[in-house]
Amino acid sequence: MTATAIRDYFSDSNIVAQIVSELNMEIGFCPILRNLNRERDLGVIDSDCITFRELGAEDRNEVFVYLGRILESVLTCQLAKCNSFDVKKDRSSSGDVTINGRIWEIKGTSGKNSWTGSTHATKKEDEKMDFIGIKYGLNEDINVFDIFNGNAKLLGEIFIGVFDQIELIRRGTATQSNSRTSLLIAIDEYDVVKEQIAWGWLKKPQRNGKYLQLCAA
């Protein structure tokens, strides 16, 4: 079964380490981080230390958008290295990658329990889908300038879920000015989806939470 094979592949600690390493390397090419480094080098920025936590919302969002673009390529190419998978980049709006003839969606998040919903007019996440969900475990207190000299890594951990025909819950309403919605996993799905985690784990929220939390490892 394709989903089980993908899950087994991503549960290999060596494969996980390769993914995290490549994401950390590629994030140094993010334009906003390169701009900050250039400005620091030429004295436009006085400080020699800006933590990732201290970046403004707009700058952080640009980093996360860039990470998302990298993520799709890194995971797709990592799967392509395994002879067990026939991997093709999906260029339609149906998903991100085709693996052994099945279309899969790939999404990353830094959030506690949700991914960002589709901006497409026909919202594919409203239906059951094959879904690879990632959560970045960020080192928020690193000096962003240390990314460039190799003394710090933005990603310390990662969560990887390989969900076979999952039905995510959408929260939030798309409008003309904002198409962002949240995609979450209901707490009632725990017994099913806990078996579909390749790396990291899911946690039930305390008190009256309705959605499972994503825990990187």
Side-chain angles (χ1 to χ4, degrees):
M1 185 177 180
T2 299
T4 301
I6 297 171
R7 200 172 297 125
D8 289 345
Y9 184 68
F10 283 144
S11 66
D12 185 324
S13 61
N14 292 321
I15 299 299
V16 173
Q18 290 176 38
I19 293 169
V20 173
S21 177
E22 190 162 2
L23 290 173
N24 275 318
M25 179 185 67
E26 292 285 350
I27 198 60
F29 295 98
C30 178
I32 189 62
L33 297 182
R34 289 172 63 86
N35 285 347
L36 288 171
N37 195 53
R38 179 186 302 109
E39 291 161 4
R40 189 278 308 264
D41 288 347
L42 292 176
V44 179
I45 295 175
D46 292 331
S47 176
D48 284 327
C49 181
I50 299 175
T51 67
F52 188 76
R53 190 186 304 278
E54 292 172 329
L55 293 180
E58 185 176 348
D59 289 348
R60 287 170 62 91
N61 185 61
E62 183 172 335
V63 174
F64 293 140
V65 170
Y66 190 81
L67 257 177
R69 297 294 186 188
I70 298 168
L71 179 69
E72 291 178 16
S73 179
V74 168
L75 289 189
T76 297
C77 292
Q78 187 68 52
L79 287 164
K81 295 176 183 178
C82 178
N83 292 331
S84 298
F85 304 122
D86 177 20
V87 181
K88 299 295 181 184
K89 187 72 175 178
D90 191 272
R91 295 295 181 185
S92 71
S93 61
S94 300
D96 296 312
V97 61
T98 299
I99 308 168
N100 294 352
R102 288 175 62 177
I103 297 174
W104 290 78
E105 180 80 6
I106 299 172
K107 284 186 181 294
T109 185
S110 61
K112 180 174 68 175
N113 59 5
S114 68
W115 292 274
T116 298
S118 172
T119 59
H120 301 294
T122 55
K123 296 181 175 61
K124 56 193 171 184
E125 293 97 347
D126 289 339
E127 306 294 334
K128 290 184 177 181
M129 63 178 175
D130 294 323
F131 177 65
I132 300 175
I134 307 296
K135 176 188 173 167
Y136 316 115
L138 301 175
N139 297 317
E140 292 271 2
D141 295 316
I142 65 164
N143 182 353
V144 295
F145 300 123
D146 285 342
I147 292 174
F148 299 95
N149 58 31
N151 292 335
K153 306 295 184 185
L154 180 59
L155 272 70
E157 300 175 321
I158 200 168
F159 166 96
I160 305 175
V162 182
F163 302 105
D164 186 4
Q165 287 295 288
I166 192 170
E167 188 169 3
L168 297 167
I169 296 173
R170 181 185 295 275
R171 286 291 175 265
T173 302
T175 66
Q176 288 184 345
S177 60
N178 180 20
S179 58
R180 288 178 173 273
T181 55
S182 296
L183 301 171
L184 305 107
I185 305 175
I187 191 172
D188 294 343
E189 297 294 318
Y190 178 76
D191 288 338
V192 174
V193 295
K194 72 178 182 179
E195 304 298 332
Q196 300 181 344
I197 308 306
W199 196 261
W201 71 96
L202 292 168
K203 183 170 70 173
K204 292 182 178 180
Q206 297 178 348
R207 299 180 182 176
N208 298 321
K210 298 179 179 179
Y211 311 110
L212 296 174
Q213 297 175 359
L214 316 171
C215 302

